[in-house]
């Protein structure tokens, strides 16, 4: 299978698979990198930065299982100096949870699973600690609550 097909399968449009590190009986490890044209989005100000590159750090992100194997994606999170306040912040990736080590689709799967079972059973099924499952589920629920509690626009025309 070509690496481009793997990128499409994982739904990572601005990233390329550079290496399939290991394919074992229980785990698959895949190394991805952003394309050079991909701009870094600051996690502080949510704007694209072109200057102030400060380095990168590899993180391992867990994704949904594939063919009864746990999938781990290794990606370099770039860091840069934010011109807004001068602090150093990591890159925000739309497919990775903010402070998490799981993808957004894995977090949604955990949320769906904990809706019908306990955190302990969901953790057993996914091979994760139940405290980690609890934290991820809580973050997803908080995000959903923020979306639903957005202020409703006031009415312009009112008739009685």
């Amino acid at each position: 299978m070509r690496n481009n097909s793997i990128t499409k399968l994982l739904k990572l449009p601005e990233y390329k698979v550079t290496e399939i590190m290991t394919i074992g009986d229980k785990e698959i490890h895949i190394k991805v990198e952003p394309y050079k044209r991909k701009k870094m989005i600051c996690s502080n100000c949510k704007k694209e930065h072109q200057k102030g590159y400060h380095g990168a750090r590899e993180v391992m992100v867990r994704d949904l299982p594939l063919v009864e194997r746990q999938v781990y994606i290794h990606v370099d999170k770039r860091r840069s100096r934010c011109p807004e306040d001068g602090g150093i912040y990591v890159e925000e990736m739309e497919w990775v949870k903010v402070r998490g080590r799981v993808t957004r689709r894995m977090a949604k799967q955990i949320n769906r699973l904990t809706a019908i079972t306990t955190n302990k059973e969901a953790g057993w099924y996914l091979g994760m600690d139940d405290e980690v499952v609890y934290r991820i589920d809580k973050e997803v629920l908080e995000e959903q609550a923020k979306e639903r509690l957005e202020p409703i626009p006031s009415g312009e025309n009112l008739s009685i």
Side-chain angles (χ1 to χ4, degrees), residues 6 9-10 19-31 60-74:
I6 296 170
L9 180 69
L10 294 174
E19 179 183 1
I20 298 176
M21 299 164 76
T22 57
I23 299 178
D25 292 338
K26 296 183 180 182
E27 296 179 350
I28 300 172
H29 291 265
I30 301 169
K31 172 88 170 143
M60 184 172 65
V61 182
R62 185 167 174 186
D63 200 8
L64 291 174
L66 182 66
V67 196
E68 296 182 5
R69 294 180 179 130
Q70 297 175 5
V71 176
Y72 294 96
I73 301 172
H74 297 258

Side-chain angles (χ1 to χ4, degrees), residues 3-158:
N3 291 347
N4 189 16
S5 301
I6 296 170
T7 306
K8 287 181 182 176
L9 180 69
L10 294 174
K11 296 181 183 174
L12 304 174
E14 296 182 327
Y15 291 82
K16 60 183 173 183
V17 174
T18 57
E19 179 183 1
I20 298 176
M21 299 164 76
T22 57
I23 299 178
D25 292 338
K26 296 183 180 182
E27 296 179 350
I28 300 172
H29 291 265
I30 301 169
K31 172 88 170 143
V32 299
E33 306 182 337
Y35 285 114
K36 291 182 180 177
R37 70 179 187 280
K38 184 183 181 319
K39 305 283 192 272
M40 184 189 147
I41 298 173
C42 179
S43 60
N44 178 45
C45 65
K46 311 291 189 239
K47 296 179 184 174
E48 292 180 354
H49 294 314
Q50 300 207 15
K51 295 181 181 178
Y53 181 70
H54 203 270
R57 186 184 79 179
E58 183 177 300
V59 294
M60 184 172 65
V61 182
R62 185 167 174 186
D63 200 8
L64 291 174
L66 182 66
V67 196
E68 296 182 5
R69 294 180 179 130
Q70 297 175 5
V71 176
Y72 294 96
I73 301 172
H74 297 258
V75 62
D76 288 333
K77 273 197 161 185
R78 300 177 285 185
R79 296 178 292 167
S80 73
R81 187 171 300 280
C82 182
E84 299 284 324
D85 66 352
I88 297 172
Y89 295 95
V90 296
E91 176 179 18
E92 183 170 305
M93 298 176 180
E94 64 276 356
W95 53 277
V96 177
K97 291 286 295 167
V98 176
R99 289 175 304 278
R101 297 281 193 245
V102 296
T103 60
R104 290 192 184 275
R105 56 183 165 247
M106 180 69 173
K108 285 182 183 177
Q109 182 71 16
I110 290 170
N111 178 253
R112 282 189 218 116
L113 195 56
T114 55
I116 60 172
T117 186
T118 64
N119 291 339
K120 187 172 185 176
E121 290 171 344
W124 170 82
Y125 179 74
L126 296 169
M128 300 174 78
D129 185 40
D130 57 337
E131 289 295 321
V132 174
V133 169
Y134 169 76
R135 264 188 283 120
I136 292 169
D137 186 41
K138 182 180 175 187
E139 288 176 8
V140 171
L141 289 173
E142 287 173 352
E143 287 175 7
Q144 291 174 352
K146 283 181 186 176
E147 289 174 6
R148 292 185 180 157
L149 296 177
E150 289 289 318
I152 300 170
S154 60
E156 294 177 15
N157 300 323
L158 182 64

